Amino acid sequence: DQQVKQNSPSLSVQEGRISILNCDYTNSMFDYFLWYKKYPAEGPTFLISISSIKDKNEDGRFTVFLNKSAKHLSLHIVPSQPGDSAVYFCAASYMEYGNKLVFGAGTILRVKS
Amino acid sequence: DSGVTQTPKHLITATGQRVTLRCSPRSGDLSVYWYQQSLDQGLQFLIQYYNGEERAKGNILERFSAQQFPDLHSELNLSSLELGDSALYFCASSGPTGRRGEKLFFGSGTQLSVL
């Protein structure tokens, strides 16, 4: 039972354009969401997070949007750079879960120069 | 470099065997987490330890066990291995509380291949 779904296995974007990565969740108890980035042969690294009391969080070129009614979040990268090419994982948690995270399967982003 | 060290990086073994994966957390972190990533799937939470004690458990098989030692390093033991256990096993650490919201720092993983 996949509680966090990333339905696009891959995405290809031209350098300088916007990359939009999507994530859907089914568990309405989730109230904290994160995005992790992973390069080959490395572990995931934290990118950005958002609490359910917000609908947007920005950090430089990265913005996460949360639509609670649709149980959907998205990560926007503007402008996209070749160094952003990586696997992006969406993750979620809720209070009773403690610090455990439920991850999606990931989306491979390729930024072409 | 996340500061989390996992060894070995690669492990190839046969069905029915037993292996031990090792993780050293970042300096100062008290909590260690183990995750399993099978092909084309997300990371699945296995277990969390905090300062030597089990804090949380996920869908960890009975054939799998883990512990955290006094020096805070952790080991994940996988026994009676099956083909389906082939996966990338990640260790992460956080500290000082191991509680919700504390950022996880991941190691580069151990790739286990069961033949």
Side-chain angles (χ1 to χ4, degrees):
Chain A
D1 176 27
Q2 277 191 302
Q3 299 184 70
V4 177
K5 299 178 185 179
Q6 294 178 255
N7 293 317
S8 298
S10 65
L11 175 68
S12 185
V13 171
Q14 199 66 35
E15 180 179 6
R17 304 294 292 268
I18 184 172
S19 296
I20 301 176
L21 296 101
N22 294 303
C23 177
D24 297 296
Y25 61 96
T26 57
N27 191 335
S28 57
M29 294 183 68
F30 287 143
D31 62 359
Y32 185 58
F33 304 89
L34 308 91
W35 285 92
Y36 278 79
K37 179 168 76 172
K38 183 186 178 306
Y39 292 119
E42 295 183 12
T45 55
F46 171 78
L47 192 56
I48 193 169
S49 63
I50 187 168
S51 163
S52 62
I53 61 172
K54 294 184 172 183
D55 54 18
K56 176 182 173 182
N57 189 28
E58 272 183 273
D59 184 1
R61 296 185 298 113
F62 302 91
T63 303
V64 56
F65 295 91
L66 175 62
N67 182 332
K68 289 186 292 292
S69 60
K71 295 192 180 68
H72 176 84
L73 64 155
S74 60
L75 174 68
H76 292 210
I77 306 174
V78 185
S80 301
Q81 300 173 353
D84 296 328
S85 297
V87 180
Y88 289 79
F89 291 100
C90 170
S93 76
Y94 61 90
M95 183 62 72
E96 287 75 19
Y97 251 16
N99 211 25
K100 298 180 291 185
L101 298 177
V102 179
F103 282 85
T107 295
I108 301 170
L109 173 65
R110 296 187 185 90
V111 180
K112 300 176 289 187
S113 55
Chain B
D1 183 6
S2 66
V4 179
T5 303
Q6 288 188 248
T7 57
K9 290 193 185 305
H10 302 276
L11 200 46
I12 302 174
T13 188
T15 54
Q17 295 298 304
R18 172 190 164 97
V19 297
T20 297
L21 313 184
R22 182 187 167 102
C23 171
S24 293
R26 288 189 326 152
S27 177
D29 283 356
L30 299 181
S31 200
V32 169
Y33 310 74
W34 287 97
Y35 281 83
Q36 177 194 52
Q37 185 186 15
S38 301
L39 195 62
D40 295 332
Q41 293 190 22
L43 285 74
Q44 305 287 324
F45 172 73
L46 295 179
I47 198 163
Q48 176 194 3
Y49 278 83
Y50 177 76
N51 204 20
E53 300 290 328
E54 183 182 306
R55 168 73 65 89
K57 214 167 185 175
N59 294 326
I60 186 168
L61 298 173
E62 285 192 14
R63 300 184 285 108
F64 296 2
S65 65
Q67 54 184 324
Q68 186 180 27
F69 294 86
D71 67 353
L72 301 176
H73 90 273
S74 177
E75 292 180 357
L76 179 67
N77 300 295
L78 316 176
S79 62
S80 302
L81 285 167
E82 302 176 359
L83 296 178
D85 298 327
S86 296
L88 190 51
Y89 291 84
F90 286 106
C91 169
S93 74
S94 75
T97 70
R99 297 201 183 281
R100 193 168 115 99
E102 208 166 65
K103 192 181 293 185
L104 300 187
F105 293 86
F106 283 85
S108 57
T110 294
Q111 180 67 58
L112 173 66
S113 299
V114 183
L115 305 179

